[in-house]
């Protein structure tokens, strides 16, 4: 069952270009395993991702559905994706920096550049544990990106998130409101931290009308805990995962094995 | 009596496109029942509206004149409106966030996008219990929307409102001033909280020269109180209602029944 | 069965705006009865259509799915369509003039103007019994209209036709080639003269992948012949009719009766 | 080792976007089997291609590297290409019509539309058995397409050809000159009729510095003759084939078998 | 061997124009000696560089690979570079001013002006020991410069740097993160202070996938210390140097001698 047949309503409102690209991100079962390697666009020289091009090359043969990466890496690694069997590419086009009193959210490349690179989607952050004024600015920027991406046929992935550490008390509620706002703005894919209570994720996947992929966050917990979290999320209706640090901040052999088991959970039909 | 004969002045100054769309919003009696389901654009995952697409589907057969909704929902539910008998759609294009000291008011989509979706009007908020500087900014933004909507033939609904809780002492006076400013700016429809004194609403409908629709605000009071409020407003010359939470924050059966009774009050000729 | 379920592939590649408007033109059965009253844009003061606004008013209550009309008439008659039950409007945006040696094909209004008027589609002629150089010019103009209509969410109806009188020997073959070219260019609806052999029309409806509506041409033949022609066309898979002169170049009472019978053939479920 | 000598010339002059897309058209062996189904954009309802979408569906599972098709078909068949294993799509964006005295060459869609659809290249004809004035016009149009395609990262396939029937005496010489002009203009891929003398093709592939794919032309000759022609062309350095009518103007079973044998010749490593 | 594998990565993703210009900056060994004389754009009348045109004339015959200079000097000294054997020119297009609480980073000329001058690259600063809000602003500006430089075929050199004096405690870490961000944004060349630990520089040159040139900073230390630093950097994989004050803030004869020895270290093959 593809994303087309799996989601009758959305495709009815999807242009030919978006439909083509969404079909490259989500497999025939309407699900996706995306490996994010874009952390340098906000976190600098992250442990385990010091050399993103090499890490990308190491994971390319493992059969991910897509990679999430920044514009510099996308340009430099274009040759690795220049074949019909290659994974999809989702381009992180923004960067966010939180100061003592406020945060600044900016685009670091253009939608025209994303289109020229031939990526299959663009991705923007939506920090939502922010003061009211910032929520307005975030909504405006994301709304503009969604409108501007339309004539390029580029789907937009939006990530509503609480960035404060430790996580604020009502983080899940804040992210639920952010996810709703992302859907109201017209996001094509929503990337979100799975709530502790899977029934809540189940509600979101039913209510938002947009494919939801879950994120992993900083490396924490055991591999078994991660696998269980993903199992629960898929059971609750999530359309896939974009988990990076909890995968590649391990020795390569372990990471490879883990990614393979995650893919089995997301795509049970493929491994059957 | 159509919106044309009912509202002689406006149509004389209305382009063919605006006139066409206003006629789709207001019935042959010049009145309208609009169900707002756009709350997620400011309030997140509102109780009772967690799944706006399903709620919209449930209310579609009940004969509303229109729905007020955000851009993401408008795109996703386009198939449900793709018939000649479908209700009108009014698109909420802005979002407003009030911080401790000031508020930010931004557009979350473009008028071109609204036109492409085929909606019949756009709607913007006009928070008016704000400092002078903000009143200037609000006036500027709304004035710009009105000018920009003109070549698209899109009517603009403006909602002057006091957002502070509890309501400020002179809230009605502030909203009356806001309504006047909205009319001065060129609003095509004004959405406003009905004043306690119906004679005041009567003055407004006579003075402003623009159709006025009343809002409901947060769920409060009994169904009978709501019906009475609407009855008074219609008697005072209001052109209709846009009441959401006080309708759909009830069990579906009660909500359905209530909407039906509201429609009878607004459109007595239809039910006759 | 709606145009959505009736035509799975096309809607999958249709933007929200086009999908909304196509759903207003084609009924729940995927079929349409469009009454063309745009002849003045090429033929001047046509017999029977001397007063197009009055004729339009006379036919409005009869339940056509849509009217095909020029920009002046669309603006003037906007009040008649300013209600939710009104038929769709398809706007003729071009005019064609054939001289002794060549023809000139021009747009007489803009797509932005069409969007502002709130029409549900635009329509262009595609004279195809023309020299090679003209075919190039026609293809260019129609291709440009299709690309330009996209961001407005406006469907484009294209009419491949032989305009020479008497009809050239291989007129049907020429129109079949024109229809194919219209589909290759990306037309959303094709308006065409039904071939004498219904199996040929059946081939076209299957091959072109685009809804086909048949035209009537100059008044000729009896009402029974017309009804039979439409019956055959619908049986062959046509999605509807746009027949004008053969309807309204009769006394009004006869025309009314004829239109009613045509609608029964196109929409058997409605009259059942 | 300098940045120059370290990186051989040809791709060194290719942007990341072009390189990505070329890699989707040409396989790991640098070769491609493209099935053209775009004939309706010039020839109308061609025998064997009356229903291009169905033919495309029938050939999709056979493992072509790409399809050459027009904009209408590309939009309608987008769902069939919406997966990562799907063949590439090359979009025919022009149409050419030759009159008694001169020919007209026009674009039928825009490069922005091509980019939005997500195709991997655009293709233009280059009729070269034309008077000097037309050669100037052809050069101008193709030069403009090449420049305009650059910021979209879209490779441009150019097809220098003699369109007169019967072929002019020095057709091969004219096409060789056209191919050279195409290379001078900056074509990324050249599509050409293979000359009778394979050593000439060998010269071209060596001299032009651009991948050459050979065309098939109208159905003629036996399957064996076609296979031999392709065998010779590949041996002479051709990078692939775009042969349509000589394949699909046969019964489907024969066509399937023939395409499979052609693919074996072009990609011997795959079938090994 | 595919078109991809045949053409190694880095230049494979570089447009023809960038490749041409990069080849003029970096020698046949992929290394460069750039003499910066652009200090007036931030530091005013710097000691030793009071008369930049004369200094430039004095160093021109010494065989630098390039000069880094501001727009005024580039225009005035154009005649000195108007021959094929002249060094490359890299144009500093921005200026940065740090106030008590924040800094302002602006462009002082346009990319079109840079292209008109015929320079081989543009150069921007990336102050990274700045508050979060400024990092956002820096990222936005540099991202825009990189996107805007693309259609001009102009390589962009980015210089991540800590500007505070004395250098902050974790200056090297901050600059490493900045370098990574520069690479993520798509910088073509990174200019950076060499870390005390050469193995760290070795990591960077391997990880970032972009040529790194080291800067010299304010005049300090002996000539021997400078030579050792450069020797270590080249051994660690640096692609060259852009060292000014530590060279020309000496008597001309010493400076000449020093520059000559630096060039021997960077280009050992040339002097062999």
């Amino acid at each position: 069952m593809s994303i087309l047949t799996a989601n009758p309503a959305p495709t009815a409102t999807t242009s030919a270009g978006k439909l083509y690209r969404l079909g490259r991100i989500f497999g025939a079962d309407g699900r996706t395993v995306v490996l994010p390697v874009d952390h340098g666009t906000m976190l600098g020289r992250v442990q385990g991702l010091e050399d993103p091009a090499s890490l990308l090359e190491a994971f390319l043969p493992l059969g991910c559905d897509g990679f999430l990466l920044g514009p510099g890496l996308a340009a430099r690694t274009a040759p690795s994706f220049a074949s019909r069997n290659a994974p999809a590419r989702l381009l992180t086009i923004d960067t966010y920096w939180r100061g003592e009193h406020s945060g600044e959210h900016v685009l670091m490349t253009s939608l025209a550049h994303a289109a020229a690179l031939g990526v299959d989607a663009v991705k923007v952050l939506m920090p939502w544990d922010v003061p009211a004024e910032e929520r307005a600015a975030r909504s405006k920027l994301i709304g503009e990106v969604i409108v501007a991406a339309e004539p390029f046929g580029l789907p937009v992935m939006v990530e509503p998130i609480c960035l404060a550490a430790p996580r604020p008390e009502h983080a899940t509620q804040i992210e639920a409101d952010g996810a709703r706002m992302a859907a109201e703005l017209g996001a094509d894919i929503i990337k979100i931290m799975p709530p502790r209570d899977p029934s809540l994720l189940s509600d979101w996947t039913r209510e938002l009308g947009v494919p939801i992929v879950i994120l992993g966050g900083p490396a924490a917990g055991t591999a078994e805990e991660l696998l269980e979290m993903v199992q629960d999320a898929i059971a609750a209706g999530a359309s896939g995962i974009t988990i990076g640090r909890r995968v590649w901040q391990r020795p390569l052999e372990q990471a490879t094995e883990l990614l393979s088991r995650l893919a089995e959970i997301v795509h049970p039909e493929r491994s059957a």
Side-chain angles (χ1 to χ4, degrees), chain A:
Chain A
M1 190 174 59
S2 87
I3 189 173
L4 302 177
T5 54
N7 301 288
T11 60
T13 63
T14 306
S15 71
K18 276 198 177 179
L19 183 145
Y20 167 72
R21 292 176 177 93
L22 286 171
R24 288 177 42 81
I25 296 169
F26 294 95
D29 53 4
R31 302 238 187 91
T32 195
V33 174
V34 173
L35 192 71
V37 294
D38 66 332
H39 302 66
T41 60
M42 280 179 52
L43 304 178
R45 193 168 174 257
V46 180
Q47 182 262 315
L49 193 65
E50 293 86 353
D51 183 348
S54 294
L55 188 139
L56 190 149
E57 294 295 335
F59 279 86
L60 255 180
L62 300 185
C64 289
D65 295 285
F67 284 83
L68 179 63
L69 72 183
L73 192 60
R76 281 200 306 282
T77 61
S80 301
F81 291 90
S83 75
R84 279 196 306 286
N85 298 325
R89 291 172 301 163
L90 300 89
L91 189 73
T92 295
I93 60 169
D94 62 340
T95 184
Y96 178 82
W97 297 88
R98 178 169 288 180
E100 205 176 338
H101 300 300
S102 69
E104 289 293 328
H105 191 197
V106 298
L107 298 188
M108 59 180 174
T109 194
S110 68
L111 288 159
H113 188 65
L117 283 171
V119 299
D120 296 297
V122 295
K123 187 257 169 188
V124 286
L125 205 67
M126 188 188 198
W128 211 238
D129 57 335
V130 294
E133 298 88 333
E134 277 197 46
R135 286 192 174 186
R138 291 313 77 86
S139 304
K140 181 173 188 287
L141 183 65
I142 294 168
E144 286 171 350
V145 166
I146 288 168
V147 167
E150 189 77 26
F152 290 106
L154 281 170
V156 180
M157 176 189 274
V158 178
E159 179 179 357
I161 195 166
C162 294
L163 287 178
R167 276 170 71 76
E169 196 180 352
H170 302 295
T172 298
Q173 177 59 39
I174 293 171
E175 287 167 353
D177 286 342
R180 173 62 174 275
M181 186 63 178
E184 296 281 357
L185 289 167
D188 297 295
I189 308 169
I190 290 176
K191 178 187 175 195
I192 199 164
M193 174 168 294
R196 233 171 255 279
D197 176 1
S199 78
L200 204 52
L201 182 59
S202 180
D203 288 345
W204 298 352
T205 58
R206 202 182 56 248
E207 294 165 8
L208 293 172
V210 175
I212 293 182
V213 296
I214 62 161
L215 57 85
T222 65
E224 292 310 317
E225 286 166 350
L226 180 62
L227 291 164
E228 194 181 340
M229 183 189 85
V230 170
Q231 183 72 67
D232 288 352
I234 295 296
S239 297
I241 61 173
T242 57
I243 298 178
R245 283 171 288 179
R246 292 180 75 173
V247 169
W248 44 248
Q249 280 183 340
R250 299 169 189 274
L252 184 61
E253 204 175 330
Q254 285 180 31
T256 299
E257 161 73 11
L258 180 52
L259 189 66
S260 166
R261 291 180 64 190
L262 287 170
E264 280 171 31
I265 292 170
V266 175
H267 298 298
E269 291 175 24
R270 285 193 197 166
S271 49

